[in-house]
Amino acid sequence: MKVLLTGASSFSGMWMAEKLAARGARVVAPLRGAPDSYSGVRGKRVERLRQFAEIVPECAFGDEKFMDLVASTPFDALCHHAAHVADYRSMDFDVVGAVAANTRNLRAVLEGLAKNGLKAVIATGSVFEQDEGAGNAPMRAFSPYGLSKGLTWQVIRYWCTIVGLPLGKFVIANPFGPFEEPRFGAYLVNTWRKGETAEVRTPRYLRDNIHVDLLALAYAGFVAECVEKREGRRFGPCGYVETQGAFAQRVAAELGPRLGLECGVRLLTQTDFSEPLARINTDLIDPAAYGWDEGAAWDAMAESYLHS
């Protein structure tokens, strides 16, 4: 199976590329920039990506070089994981510009791939989109970025229908693990390293946190299924479905003994309810069916912090 995977320098994208390759797929990973232009944790991911993917540098989705790649190379699957994310937390996020970048020349891309025998398209969605996952009404997007993801999906679905390509949607909730940008986990560990108690300001939010390697294993299996059956479906695998307060306590219980730290957690009274109270994925999975080891995943996460 030959896969064209966009967005492979991202946190989840790198893991997806690795697990696809482990299943025997040949992964071609176009990157917006040159490999040596990436720094920090993204630079480390790109360096790791070289081990299991063929990198095509300076090849953004829909640009001239990307179109040449599409025209000259047969692929079994287009895994469109890339998305415009600059200032994704901002309420001034450019929704229209993001959708345009995410879908540049999409019709021509799909027609070119179909001509060369493409079997399926797999688009990555987010549980933070409008009308996605399960949670409290109204099922609005979490943010302008989430809105752009939902609109991008609508454009992809439209053109796949017109071109006649099977389309699967893989919905991501909250992945965590090694090679992640500094976020909630890093805050917890850095606080504990200073001998302080970590405070959770939004303990009542019900969320769906999933180990990134388990997420990527599920993704690789989903891609293989879509290609083999030449049909698509929506698939949003669940991880730990619990409040953010409970998740913080879980991280403390798992990492404390592994890092040799006192991992105190204080749940504050939540006053910020600017996000939906509950939003989770809906597809329960059996991790054992993927050969996944939960303890090993926590070991790997602890190891990543020991060397950071």
Side-chain angles (χ1 to χ4, degrees):
M1 179 172 66
K2 191 170 184 179
V3 175
L4 179 59
L5 173 65
T6 67
S9 68
S10 68
F11 169 48
S12 50
M14 184 211 73
W15 282 98
M16 289 169 172
E18 179 175 335
K19 300 307 182 185
L20 282 165
R23 287 187 69 102
R26 179 182 171 190
V27 180
V28 177
L31 301 181
R32 288 193 183 98
D36 60 3
S37 70
Y38 296 91
S39 60
V41 68
R42 188 175 291 269
K44 293 178 181 178
R45 291 196 298 257
V46 170
E47 187 60 33
R48 183 179 172 92
L49 185 64
R50 295 176 187 268
Q51 301 174 27
F52 39 80
E54 176 186 337
I55 291 176
V56 184
E58 299 177 318
C59 186
F61 187 86
D63 71 9
E64 184 176 353
K65 189 172 182 179
F66 191 92
M67 298 307 297
D68 289 341
L69 176 64
V70 164
S72 62
T73 311
F75 290 97
D76 295 297
L78 167 63
C79 295
H80 193 17
H81 182 65
H84 179 76
V85 298
D87 298 323
Y88 74 98
R89 293 182 181 274
S90 172
M91 291 301 290
D92 295 321
F93 179 83
D94 184 359
V95 174
V96 174
V99 175
N102 297 344
T103 61
R104 182 184 296 115
N105 290 325
L106 179 61
R107 177 184 175 186
V109 168
L110 296 176
E111 289 175 341
L113 290 168
K115 184 178 179 180
N116 284 330
L118 191 76
K119 296 180 176 66
V121 177
I122 296 86
T124 300
S126 169
V127 78
F128 303 130
E129 297 174 23
Q130 59 276 26
D131 305 316
E132 187 54 83
N136 56 295
M139 295 291 287
R140 67 167 178 84
F142 268 53
S143 63
Y145 166 71
L147 177 61
S148 77
K149 288 288 291 180
L151 294 174
T152 295
W153 162 249
Q154 295 292 337
V155 175
I156 294 172
R157 184 171 66 174
Y158 176 83
W159 284 115
C160 280
T161 300
I162 295 299
V163 176
L165 284 169
L167 172 63
K169 184 179 187 182
F170 187 84
V171 183
I172 293 179
N174 297 287
F176 68 95
F179 296 99
E180 182 181 8
E181 279 82 3
R183 293 173 61 190
F184 188 53
Y187 158 72
L188 293 175
V189 173
N190 290 336
T191 301
W192 295 330
R193 279 174 168 167
K194 292 184 288 187
E196 299 174 357
T197 298
E199 296 182 341
V200 182
R201 298 183 181 278
T202 55
R204 292 179 58 188
Y205 278 153
L206 179 66
R207 296 293 183 259
D208 188 344
N209 295 282
I210 186 168
H211 284 277
V212 70
D213 59 336
L214 175 58
L215 177 84
L217 284 168
Y219 181 82
F222 182 64
V223 172
E225 173 197 314
C226 291
V227 169
E228 180 181 354
K229 296 182 178 180
R230 300 199 181 194
E231 63 183 33
R233 62 183 176 93
R234 181 203 171 280
F235 181 44
C238 295
Y240 300 123
V241 177
E242 58 194 3
T243 65
Q244 284 298 90
F247 178 65
Q249 292 168 333
R250 179 189 295 275
V251 174
E254 294 289 351
L255 293 189
R258 289 174 167 87
L259 296 175
L261 295 174
E262 291 291 329
C263 297
V265 174
R266 181 182 299 117
L267 307 184
L268 303 184
T269 300
Q270 183 166 338
T271 58
D272 178 7
F273 293 94
S274 57
E275 295 180 357
L277 183 62
R279 189 67 64 87
I280 60 174
N281 257 336
T282 55
D283 292 313
L284 298 176
I285 59 174
D286 177 10
Y290 295 100
W292 183 72
D293 185 328
E294 183 178 15
W298 284 111
D299 289 344
M301 185 173 175
E303 187 70 16
S304 71
Y305 284 117
L306 286 171
H307 293 89
S308 65

